Amino acid sequence: MKNLRKKLSLAKSHLLSFRFLNFLLYGIMLFFLFWFSSWGEEWKIKEGEVVSRDIIAPRSVEIIDIPSTAEAQKRLLSAIPPVYRVDPQTLDKIEQELEEFFKSLEEARPTYSLLSTDFKDTFSKKWRITPGVLEWLIASPQEEYERVKGVTFDIINRYMANPIREEELEEKILEAYSELERMDLGESEIRVAEALVFRFLRPTAVVDSEGTQRERLKALESLQPVKRIIKRGEVILRKGEIATKEDIEILRAMGFGGEGDQWFQLLAWALVITGAVVAEYFYIRKFVPSLLEDDSLLLLRLIAVGGIVAMNTLTFRLSSFFIIISALPLILLPLLGEDYALGESLILFPLILLGDRVDFIQGFYIYVNLFLPLFWLSKISKTGDLVKAGMMMAFTNMGLSFVFGLQEGKELTKVLADAFYGWGGGMGGAVIALGGITLLESIFHITSDFRLMELLNPTHPLLKRLLMEAPGTYSHSLMVANLAEAAAERIGANPFLVRVGAYYHDVGKIKRPYFFIENQMEGHNAHNRLSPNLSSLIIQSHVKDGVEIARQYNLPPEIQEIIACHHGTTIIRYFYDKAVKERKDEVREEEFRYPGPLPRTVEQALVFLADSVEAAVRSATRPTPSRVDAIVNGILQKYLQEGQLDESPLTMRDIRQIAQAFVVVLNGMIHSRIPYYPEEEALKIVRGKDIKDEPGRNSK
């Protein structure tokens, strides 16, 4: 039970920790930023509403041209004739009439000689045949009658088996006539049969709705819809226009759905943002774990990302080429390091593509602005680097806008406008990055290379004061800086931080400069009148004084730490030995040691070692290269044995490389050479003559 409570308490503390809240806030911020970018006026437009602003296509897309497609369908359908079928009712009626007609004839034939004229007239009118045809049908021989009857039934049944339209009736009758004339019939038989065909053959066709619909659907399936390409930047709807059904369909093709679709899109975006935040957390934990240990850096990254993405969203609405997203890597690189700048760019890139719904061309443009500054500039340490990056991005953007514009066949004026926006985006990103770095540095007290470069300026008030009040210390600091910087470059430490730390490591001496040998006049030593203990206290105090002065001048915490530990816990040997000689067993070694702390970083250790080495070599009489090498290695071995480097991350390989770098720089400083020249040889050199040119010189 206790373990469960402990786990629950631990989980609760993690959930309420600033780190968790920071990532949660980061996700919420990204969600609303991209929501603002994605869900604008386009989502709210409905058919028949007036548009309050211009709606511009965010990307090139191919859509179905509904009016043109409808017109093509209309033309196709009008060209398709209706499908006909035989009307069974008409067919039954004709067959019934034909049978009844011949039945009436067959009833009248046996008594044809007795038939009255009135009967014949009535019969002719009823069946709408001429008296002559009736006369032949009644009085003709049975064989001829049967032949005409059979031919008539056969032709009518065959022709009525297929639908006959009204406009086709005359054509069908003529075809029947031609067929009768080719038969082996008498002339009178042909005329009677033709008369009967003319009488009983009639239209039997009716429109087959289902068949017609099937044919039309089949034709429509084979018809390819008319398509239209809407280019990126094209105005879909202008301010004040009324949205039509076609406009709404175009917006849907662009991915802007209705209210129902919007909620699904929001849910999808929430899942995407959650995945991005989780991915960022694991990336930071693996590649930049120090970021998770500093709440202020997490907050800085949130402000930097949020601010740049928000500004980029606004500029993107002016033009798809006016993007200032290059400011983000330019800010993150000097403040949080190359690894984090690259990781954040990798995570934001797909989010920007999805949020702005860009096509391949615009996606490539965004990719270049996000990653090219990282490839060009592995380190940003001064304003000139940002200016250089801004100019390179400006010209790159101009070139891309020209290429893309010509590829898409844009007008020259439009291409030039895009190029101008591209140039503005590149330069604007650099300007925003410069302002952002300066602002974030001051707010979060981050020691970036920009800040360090300012501290290296000889006109800095504290350096000017050091030069005027403790010139010897100033000179010593410059030499220590050269040593420490050379060693930092050799082992991969931060050379800017090391040089600045060396410049300011002894600023505490300006409080009592005359108590330090490098600032004393020859023959005058203030310590001659003091006890060793008091001298030791004065010497030790320059560390504490230096930290206080650094705070007064708002030097970065890293520089203050270098000042605090640049002597470690070493002993002030001169005054300790002097005290031992004077008091012997009464001397306590702790009274003559610096309070520390020990160096904990590579940069702190380098300044610590360079300070000791420079002082030792400077105090050596007539140093030679071999002596310099012995002094340097002796001091480093001594500090290793004393444990002064126990808390630093330096390895033995680093120690060897540091020693080599120190020896090279120190030998260059002392300019080792032949102790003296013979007087006559010196004169020859001054006169510009070689020694061997003097007569008799080579013979000696």
PDB file of all heavy atoms in Angstrom, residues 531-537 540 569-580 583 586-594:
ATOM      1  N   SER A 531      52.082  40.505   7.129  1.00  0.00           N
ATOM      2  CA  SER A 531      52.349  39.126   7.533  1.00  0.00           C
ATOM      3  C   SER A 531      51.912  38.184   6.421  1.00  0.00           C
ATOM      4  O   SER A 531      51.054  38.528   5.601  1.00  0.00           O
ATOM      5  CB  SER A 531      51.590  38.803   8.816  1.00  0.00           C
ATOM      6  OG  SER A 531      50.189  38.803   8.569  1.00  0.00           O
ATOM      7  N   PRO A 532      52.478  36.985   6.369  1.00  0.00           N
ATOM      8  CA  PRO A 532      52.067  36.029   5.332  1.00  0.00           C
ATOM      9  C   PRO A 532      50.568  35.725   5.368  1.00  0.00           C
ATOM     10  O   PRO A 532      49.941  35.572   4.323  1.00  0.00           O
ATOM     11  CB  PRO A 532      52.899  34.789   5.651  1.00  0.00           C
ATOM     12  CG  PRO A 532      54.092  35.302   6.385  1.00  0.00           C
ATOM     13  CD  PRO A 532      53.595  36.483   7.181  1.00  0.00           C
ATOM     14  N   ASN A 533      49.990  35.635   6.570  1.00  0.00           N
ATOM     15  CA  ASN A 533      48.558  35.334   6.674  1.00  0.00           C
ATOM     16  C   ASN A 533      47.718  36.442   6.058  1.00  0.00           C
ATOM     17  O   ASN A 533      46.756  36.185   5.317  1.00  0.00           O
ATOM     18  CB  ASN A 533      48.163  35.134   8.144  1.00  0.00           C
ATOM     19  CG  ASN A 533      48.721  33.867   8.719  1.00  0.00           C
ATOM     20  OD1 ASN A 533      49.912  33.771   8.950  1.00  0.00           O
ATOM     21  ND2 ASN A 533      47.863  32.872   8.943  1.00  0.00           N
ATOM     22  N   LEU A 534      48.080  37.685   6.371  1.00  0.00           N
ATOM     23  CA  LEU A 534      47.323  38.808   5.820  1.00  0.00           C
ATOM     24  C   LEU A 534      47.512  38.888   4.313  1.00  0.00           C
ATOM     25  O   LEU A 534      46.556  39.135   3.564  1.00  0.00           O
ATOM     26  CB  LEU A 534      47.770  40.109   6.492  1.00  0.00           C
ATOM     27  CG  LEU A 534      47.006  41.367   6.061  1.00  0.00           C
ATOM     28  CD1 LEU A 534      45.509  41.195   6.282  1.00  0.00           C
ATOM     29  CD2 LEU A 534      47.546  42.589   6.813  1.00  0.00           C
ATOM     30  N   SER A 535      48.711  38.671   3.838  1.00  0.00           N
ATOM     31  CA  SER A 535      48.947  38.673   2.387  1.00  0.00           C
ATOM     32  C   SER A 535      48.134  37.584   1.707  1.00  0.00           C
ATOM     33  O   SER A 535      47.545  37.784   0.627  1.00  0.00           O
ATOM     34  CB  SER A 535      50.444  38.466   2.105  1.00  0.00           C
ATOM     35  OG  SER A 535      51.207  39.545   2.576  1.00  0.00           O
ATOM     36  N   SER A 536      48.087  36.422   2.351  1.00  0.00           N
ATOM     37  CA  SER A 536      47.315  35.317   1.778  1.00  0.00           C
ATOM     38  C   SER A 536      45.831  35.667   1.700  1.00  0.00           C
ATOM     39  O   SER A 536      45.164  35.385   0.698  1.00  0.00           O
ATOM     40  CB  SER A 536      47.515  34.054   2.617  1.00  0.00           C
ATOM     41  OG  SER A 536      46.713  32.999   2.130  1.00  0.00           O
ATOM     42  N   LEU A 537      45.321  36.308   2.754  1.00  0.00           N
ATOM     43  CA  LEU A 537      43.907  36.704   2.742  1.00  0.00           C
ATOM     44  C   LEU A 537      43.625  37.703   1.623  1.00  0.00           C
ATOM     45  O   LEU A 537      42.576  37.635   0.957  1.00  0.00           O
ATOM     46  CB  LEU A 537      43.523  37.307   4.100  1.00  0.00           C
ATOM     47  CG  LEU A 537      43.416  36.330   5.274  1.00  0.00           C
ATOM     48  CD1 LEU A 537      43.165  37.090   6.568  1.00  0.00           C
ATOM     49  CD2 LEU A 537      42.289  35.327   5.025  1.00  0.00           C
ATOM     50  N   GLN A 540      43.700  35.795  -1.680  1.00  0.00           N
ATOM     51  CA  GLN A 540      42.495  34.969  -1.825  1.00  0.00           C
ATOM     52  C   GLN A 540      41.258  35.817  -2.125  1.00  0.00           C
ATOM     53  O   GLN A 540      40.361  35.391  -2.855  1.00  0.00           O
ATOM     54  CB  GLN A 540      42.261  34.172  -0.543  1.00  0.00           C
ATOM     55  CG  GLN A 540      43.278  33.088  -0.263  1.00  0.00           C
ATOM     56  CD  GLN A 540      43.015  32.397   1.066  1.00  0.00           C
ATOM     57  OE1 GLN A 540      41.878  32.287   1.525  1.00  0.00           O
ATOM     58  NE2 GLN A 540      44.090  31.945   1.710  1.00  0.00           N
ATOM     59  N   THR A 569      41.262  24.850  -5.329  1.00  0.00           N
ATOM     60  CA  THR A 569      41.598  24.875  -3.899  1.00  0.00           C
ATOM     61  C   THR A 569      43.121  24.800  -3.723  1.00  0.00           C
ATOM     62  O   THR A 569      43.617  24.186  -2.766  1.00  0.00           O
ATOM     63  CB  THR A 569      40.921  23.700  -3.163  1.00  0.00           C
ATOM     64  OG1 THR A 569      41.340  22.460  -3.762  1.00  0.00           O
ATOM     65  CG2 THR A 569      39.412  23.810  -3.223  1.00  0.00           C
ATOM     66  N   THR A 570      43.821  25.392  -4.686  1.00  0.00           N
ATOM     67  CA  THR A 570      45.292  25.344  -4.625  1.00  0.00           C
ATOM     68  C   THR A 570      45.797  26.180  -3.457  1.00  0.00           C
ATOM     69  O   THR A 570      45.111  27.076  -2.941  1.00  0.00           O
ATOM     70  CB  THR A 570      45.896  25.882  -5.937  1.00  0.00           C
ATOM     71  OG1 THR A 570      45.413  27.197  -6.169  1.00  0.00           O
ATOM     72  CG2 THR A 570      45.524  24.977  -7.103  1.00  0.00           C
ATOM     73  N   ILE A 571      47.012  25.898  -3.084  1.00  0.00           N
ATOM     74  CA  ILE A 571      47.638  26.600  -1.968  1.00  0.00           C
ATOM     75  C   ILE A 571      48.478  27.761  -2.498  1.00  0.00           C
ATOM     76  O   ILE A 571      49.071  27.675  -3.579  1.00  0.00           O
ATOM     77  CB  ILE A 571      48.515  25.629  -1.142  1.00  0.00           C
ATOM     78  CG1 ILE A 571      48.974  26.292   0.154  1.00  0.00           C
ATOM     79  CG2 ILE A 571      49.709  25.139  -1.950  1.00  0.00           C
ATOM     80  CD1 ILE A 571      49.639  25.326   1.129  1.00  0.00           C
ATOM     81  N   ILE A 572      48.488  28.855  -1.776  1.00  0.00           N
ATOM     82  CA  ILE A 572      49.327  30.001  -2.144  1.00  0.00           C
ATOM     83  C   ILE A 572      50.721  29.708  -1.599  1.00  0.00           C
ATOM     84  O   ILE A 572      51.067  30.054  -0.451  1.00  0.00           O
ATOM     85  CB  ILE A 572      48.747  31.313  -1.578  1.00  0.00           C
ATOM     86  CG1 ILE A 572      47.283  31.461  -2.013  1.00  0.00           C
ATOM     87  CG2 ILE A 572      49.545  32.518  -2.058  1.00  0.00           C
ATOM     88  CD1 ILE A 572      46.578  32.661  -1.415  1.00  0.00           C
ATOM     89  N   ARG A 573      51.509  29.037  -2.395  1.00  0.00           N
ATOM     90  CA  ARG A 573      52.746  28.424  -1.945  1.00  0.00           C
ATOM     91  C   ARG A 573      53.746  29.441  -1.379  1.00  0.00           C
ATOM     92  O   ARG A 573      54.393  29.183  -0.357  1.00  0.00           O
ATOM     93  CB  ARG A 573      53.371  27.660  -3.108  1.00  0.00           C
ATOM     94  CG  ARG A 573      54.708  26.995  -2.821  1.00  0.00           C
ATOM     95  CD  ARG A 573      54.572  25.925  -1.725  1.00  0.00           C
ATOM     96  NE  ARG A 573      53.590  24.906  -2.048  1.00  0.00           N
ATOM     97  CZ  ARG A 573      53.273  23.912  -1.218  1.00  0.00           C
ATOM     98  NH1 ARG A 573      53.830  23.856  -0.011  1.00  0.00           N
ATOM     99  NH2 ARG A 573      52.382  23.026  -1.579  1.00  0.00           N
ATOM    100  N   TYR A 574      53.900  30.571  -2.040  1.00  0.00           N
ATOM    101  CA  TYR A 574      54.924  31.540  -1.622  1.00  0.00           C
ATOM    102  C   TYR A 574      54.701  31.980  -0.178  1.00  0.00           C
ATOM    103  O   TYR A 574      55.619  31.943   0.655  1.00  0.00           O
ATOM    104  CB  TYR A 574      54.922  32.743  -2.563  1.00  0.00           C
ATOM    105  CG  TYR A 574      55.885  33.830  -2.158  1.00  0.00           C
ATOM    106  CD1 TYR A 574      57.231  33.745  -2.491  1.00  0.00           C
ATOM    107  CD2 TYR A 574      55.443  34.936  -1.425  1.00  0.00           C
ATOM    108  CE1 TYR A 574      58.125  34.744  -2.102  1.00  0.00           C
ATOM    109  CE2 TYR A 574      56.316  35.931  -1.036  1.00  0.00           C
ATOM    110  CZ  TYR A 574      57.656  35.826  -1.382  1.00  0.00           C
ATOM    111  OH  TYR A 574      58.534  36.802  -0.988  1.00  0.00           O
ATOM    112  N   PHE A 575      53.482  32.400   0.112  1.00  0.00           N
ATOM    113  CA  PHE A 575      53.210  32.904   1.459  1.00  0.00           C
ATOM    114  C   PHE A 575      53.110  31.767   2.472  1.00  0.00           C
ATOM    115  O   PHE A 575      53.388  31.957   3.658  1.00  0.00           O
ATOM    116  CB  PHE A 575      51.936  33.753   1.460  1.00  0.00           C
ATOM    117  CG  PHE A 575      52.096  35.034   0.695  1.00  0.00           C
ATOM    118  CD1 PHE A 575      51.425  35.240  -0.496  1.00  0.00           C
ATOM    119  CD2 PHE A 575      52.942  36.034   1.161  1.00  0.00           C
ATOM    120  CE1 PHE A 575      51.575  36.411  -1.203  1.00  0.00           C
ATOM    121  CE2 PHE A 575      53.096  37.219   0.453  1.00  0.00           C
ATOM    122  CZ  PHE A 575      52.423  37.406  -0.741  1.00  0.00           C
ATOM    123  N   TYR A 576      52.717  30.606   2.041  1.00  0.00           N
ATOM    124  CA  TYR A 576      52.699  29.461   2.944  1.00  0.00           C
ATOM    125  C   TYR A 576      54.125  29.110   3.381  1.00  0.00           C
ATOM    126  O   TYR A 576      54.400  28.906   4.579  1.00  0.00           O
ATOM    127  CB  TYR A 576      52.037  28.269   2.260  1.00  0.00           C
ATOM    128  CG  TYR A 576      52.114  26.987   3.083  1.00  0.00           C
ATOM    129  CD1 TYR A 576      51.314  26.806   4.200  1.00  0.00           C
ATOM    130  CD2 TYR A 576      53.017  25.984   2.732  1.00  0.00           C
ATOM    131  CE1 TYR A 576      51.388  25.639   4.958  1.00  0.00           C
ATOM    132  CE2 TYR A 576      53.094  24.816   3.479  1.00  0.00           C
ATOM    133  CZ  TYR A 576      52.273  24.642   4.593  1.00  0.00           C
ATOM    134  OH  TYR A 576      52.364  23.492   5.337  1.00  0.00           O
ATOM    135  N   ASP A 577      55.031  29.047   2.407  1.00  0.00           N
ATOM    136  CA  ASP A 577      56.429  28.748   2.742  1.00  0.00           C
ATOM    137  C   ASP A 577      57.026  29.848   3.627  1.00  0.00           C
ATOM    138  O   ASP A 577      57.807  29.565   4.563  1.00  0.00           O
ATOM    139  CB  ASP A 577      57.252  28.595   1.466  1.00  0.00           C
ATOM    140  CG  ASP A 577      56.865  27.351   0.682  1.00  0.00           C
ATOM    141  OD1 ASP A 577      56.248  26.435   1.281  1.00  0.00           O
ATOM    142  OD2 ASP A 577      57.175  27.291  -0.528  1.00  0.00           O
ATOM    143  N   LYS A 578      56.645  31.076   3.325  1.00  0.00           N
ATOM    144  CA  LYS A 578      57.153  32.190   4.129  1.00  0.00           C
ATOM    145  C   LYS A 578      56.650  32.080   5.567  1.00  0.00           C
ATOM    146  O   LYS A 578      57.402  32.324   6.536  1.00  0.00           O
ATOM    147  CB  LYS A 578      56.705  33.517   3.504  1.00  0.00           C
ATOM    148  CG  LYS A 578      57.236  34.749   4.226  1.00  0.00           C
ATOM    149  CD  LYS A 578      56.780  36.020   3.505  1.00  0.00           C
ATOM    150  CE  LYS A 578      57.286  37.254   4.239  1.00  0.00           C
ATOM    151  NZ  LYS A 578      56.836  38.518   3.591  1.00  0.00           N
ATOM    152  N   ALA A 579      55.385  31.684   5.709  1.00  0.00           N
ATOM    153  CA  ALA A 579      54.822  31.537   7.052  1.00  0.00           C
ATOM    154  C   ALA A 579      55.470  30.385   7.800  1.00  0.00           C
ATOM    155  O   ALA A 579      55.718  30.467   9.013  1.00  0.00           O
ATOM    156  CB  ALA A 579      53.314  31.330   6.970  1.00  0.00           C
ATOM    157  N   VAL A 580      55.765  29.312   7.090  1.00  0.00           N
ATOM    158  CA  VAL A 580      56.422  28.161   7.723  1.00  0.00           C
ATOM    159  C   VAL A 580      57.798  28.551   8.233  1.00  0.00           C
ATOM    160  O   VAL A 580      58.208  28.167   9.338  1.00  0.00           O
ATOM    161  CB  VAL A 580      56.501  26.981   6.727  1.00  0.00           C
ATOM    162  CG1 VAL A 580      57.417  25.885   7.272  1.00  0.00           C
ATOM    163  CG2 VAL A 580      55.114  26.427   6.459  1.00  0.00           C
ATOM    164  N   ARG A 583      57.046  30.818  11.375  1.00  0.00           N
ATOM    165  CA  ARG A 583      56.349  30.268  12.533  1.00  0.00           C
ATOM    166  C   ARG A 583      56.491  28.763  12.675  1.00  0.00           C
ATOM    167  O   ARG A 583      56.060  28.179  13.643  1.00  0.00           O
ATOM    168  CB  ARG A 583      54.859  30.627  12.447  1.00  0.00           C
ATOM    169  CG  ARG A 583      54.608  32.116  12.584  1.00  0.00           C
ATOM    170  CD  ARG A 583      53.142  32.413  12.630  1.00  0.00           C
ATOM    171  NE  ARG A 583      52.520  32.165  11.336  1.00  0.00           N
ATOM    172  CZ  ARG A 583      51.218  32.143  11.131  1.00  0.00           C
ATOM    173  NH1 ARG A 583      50.392  32.328  12.148  1.00  0.00           N
ATOM    174  NH2 ARG A 583      50.741  31.941   9.926  1.00  0.00           N
ATOM    175  N   GLU A 586      53.365  26.187  13.758  1.00  0.00           N
ATOM    176  CA  GLU A 586      52.088  26.842  14.044  1.00  0.00           C
ATOM    177  C   GLU A 586      51.250  27.101  12.784  1.00  0.00           C
ATOM    178  O   GLU A 586      50.102  27.511  12.880  1.00  0.00           O
ATOM    179  CB  GLU A 586      52.348  28.185  14.741  1.00  0.00           C
ATOM    180  CG  GLU A 586      53.116  28.027  16.046  1.00  0.00           C
ATOM    181  CD  GLU A 586      53.429  29.380  16.644  1.00  0.00           C
ATOM    182  OE1 GLU A 586      52.935  30.394  16.097  1.00  0.00           O
ATOM    183  OE2 GLU A 586      54.149  29.426  17.644  1.00  0.00           O
ATOM    184  N   VAL A 587      51.762  26.870  11.589  1.00  0.00           N
ATOM    185  CA  VAL A 587      51.079  27.223  10.334  1.00  0.00           C
ATOM    186  C   VAL A 587      50.073  26.134   9.953  1.00  0.00           C
ATOM    187  O   VAL A 587      50.406  24.946   9.948  1.00  0.00           O
ATOM    188  CB  VAL A 587      52.098  27.417   9.196  1.00  0.00           C
ATOM    189  CG1 VAL A 587      51.370  27.752   7.903  1.00  0.00           C
ATOM    190  CG2 VAL A 587      53.088  28.496   9.583  1.00  0.00           C
ATOM    191  N   ARG A 588      48.834  26.564   9.642  1.00  0.00           N
ATOM    192  CA  ARG A 588      47.799  25.646   9.147  1.00  0.00           C
ATOM    193  C   ARG A 588      47.654  25.850   7.634  1.00  0.00           C
ATOM    194  O   ARG A 588      47.421  26.959   7.163  1.00  0.00           O
ATOM    195  CB  ARG A 588      46.463  25.912   9.841  1.00  0.00           C
ATOM    196  CG  ARG A 588      46.511  25.581  11.335  1.00  0.00           C
ATOM    197  CD  ARG A 588      45.219  25.938  12.042  1.00  0.00           C
ATOM    198  NE  ARG A 588      44.101  25.217  11.522  1.00  0.00           N
ATOM    199  CZ  ARG A 588      43.062  25.775  10.894  1.00  0.00           C
ATOM    200  NH1 ARG A 588      43.040  27.082  10.710  1.00  0.00           N
ATOM    201  NH2 ARG A 588      42.078  25.033  10.463  1.00  0.00           N
ATOM    202  N   GLU A 589      47.782  24.762   6.923  1.00  0.00           N
ATOM    203  CA  GLU A 589      47.764  24.839   5.452  1.00  0.00           C
ATOM    204  C   GLU A 589      46.441  25.381   4.921  1.00  0.00           C
ATOM    205  O   GLU A 589      46.399  26.076   3.896  1.00  0.00           O
ATOM    206  CB  GLU A 589      48.028  23.439   4.880  1.00  0.00           C
ATOM    207  CG  GLU A 589      48.259  23.423   3.382  1.00  0.00           C
ATOM    208  CD  GLU A 589      48.627  22.048   2.877  1.00  0.00           C
ATOM    209  OE1 GLU A 589      49.801  21.657   2.988  1.00  0.00           O
ATOM    210  OE2 GLU A 589      47.713  21.361   2.373  1.00  0.00           O
ATOM    211  N   GLU A 590      45.315  25.084   5.600  1.00  0.00           N
ATOM    212  CA  GLU A 590      43.999  25.525   5.118  1.00  0.00           C
ATOM    213  C   GLU A 590      43.889  27.044   5.032  1.00  0.00           C
ATOM    214  O   GLU A 590      43.123  27.592   4.242  1.00  0.00           O
ATOM    215  CB  GLU A 590      42.894  24.994   6.047  1.00  0.00           C
ATOM    216  CG  GLU A 590      42.681  23.501   5.989  1.00  0.00           C
ATOM    217  CD  GLU A 590      43.767  22.730   6.711  1.00  0.00           C
ATOM    218  OE1 GLU A 590      44.560  23.364   7.460  1.00  0.00           O
ATOM    219  OE2 GLU A 590      43.860  21.499   6.515  1.00  0.00           O
ATOM    220  N   GLU A 591      44.670  27.758   5.883  1.00  0.00           N
ATOM    221  CA  GLU A 591      44.604  29.214   5.866  1.00  0.00           C
ATOM    222  C   GLU A 591      45.189  29.798   4.594  1.00  0.00           C
ATOM    223  O   GLU A 591      44.932  30.970   4.269  1.00  0.00           O
ATOM    224  CB  GLU A 591      45.360  29.767   7.084  1.00  0.00           C
ATOM    225  CG  GLU A 591      44.750  29.369   8.420  1.00  0.00           C
ATOM    226  CD  GLU A 591      45.573  29.885   9.579  1.00  0.00           C
ATOM    227  OE1 GLU A 591      46.597  30.568   9.313  1.00  0.00           O
ATOM    228  OE2 GLU A 591      45.202  29.634  10.740  1.00  0.00           O
ATOM    229  N   PHE A 592      45.987  29.019   3.875  1.00  0.00           N
ATOM    230  CA  PHE A 592      46.661  29.521   2.676  1.00  0.00           C
ATOM    231  C   PHE A 592      46.098  28.898   1.386  1.00  0.00           C
ATOM    232  O   PHE A 592      46.707  29.022   0.344  1.00  0.00           O
ATOM    233  CB  PHE A 592      48.165  29.243   2.778  1.00  0.00           C
ATOM    234  CG  PHE A 592      48.823  30.003   3.886  1.00  0.00           C
ATOM    235  CD1 PHE A 592      48.867  29.490   5.188  1.00  0.00           C
ATOM    236  CD2 PHE A 592      49.377  31.251   3.653  1.00  0.00           C
ATOM    237  CE1 PHE A 592      49.470  30.197   6.212  1.00  0.00           C
ATOM    238  CE2 PHE A 592      49.991  31.951   4.673  1.00  0.00           C
ATOM    239  CZ  PHE A 592      50.024  31.430   5.959  1.00  0.00           C
ATOM    240  N   ARG A 593      44.969  28.239   1.498  1.00  0.00           N
ATOM    241  CA  ARG A 593      44.342  27.652   0.308  1.00  0.00           C
ATOM    242  C   ARG A 593      43.184  28.529  -0.179  1.00  0.00           C
ATOM    243  O   ARG A 593      42.465  29.151   0.617  1.00  0.00           O
ATOM    244  CB  ARG A 593      43.798  26.254   0.599  1.00  0.00           C
ATOM    245  CG  ARG A 593      44.856  25.180   0.667  1.00  0.00           C
ATOM    246  CD  ARG A 593      44.231  23.791   0.683  1.00  0.00           C
ATOM    247  NE  ARG A 593      45.255  22.770   0.722  1.00  0.00           N
ATOM    248  CZ  ARG A 593      45.870  22.295  -0.353  1.00  0.00           C
ATOM    249  NH1 ARG A 593      45.557  22.757  -1.550  1.00  0.00           N
ATOM    250  NH2 ARG A 593      46.800  21.354  -0.227  1.00  0.00           N
ATOM    251  N   TYR A 594      43.014  28.546  -1.500  1.00  0.00           N
ATOM    252  CA  TYR A 594      41.834  29.195  -2.076  1.00  0.00           C
ATOM    253  C   TYR A 594      40.595  28.385  -1.693  1.00  0.00           C
ATOM    254  O   TYR A 594      40.653  27.148  -1.592  1.00  0.00           O
ATOM    255  CB  TYR A 594      41.937  29.280  -3.597  1.00  0.00           C
ATOM    256  CG  TYR A 594      42.916  30.326  -4.088  1.00  0.00           C
ATOM    257  CD1 TYR A 594      44.200  29.970  -4.489  1.00  0.00           C
ATOM    258  CD2 TYR A 594      42.539  31.658  -4.151  1.00  0.00           C
ATOM    259  CE1 TYR A 594      45.094  30.918  -4.940  1.00  0.00           C
ATOM    260  CE2 TYR A 594      43.432  32.631  -4.609  1.00  0.00           C
ATOM    261  CZ  TYR A 594      44.706  32.255  -5.000  1.00  0.00           C
ATOM    262  OH  TYR A 594      45.580  33.197  -5.434  1.00  0.00           O
TER     263      TYR A 594
END
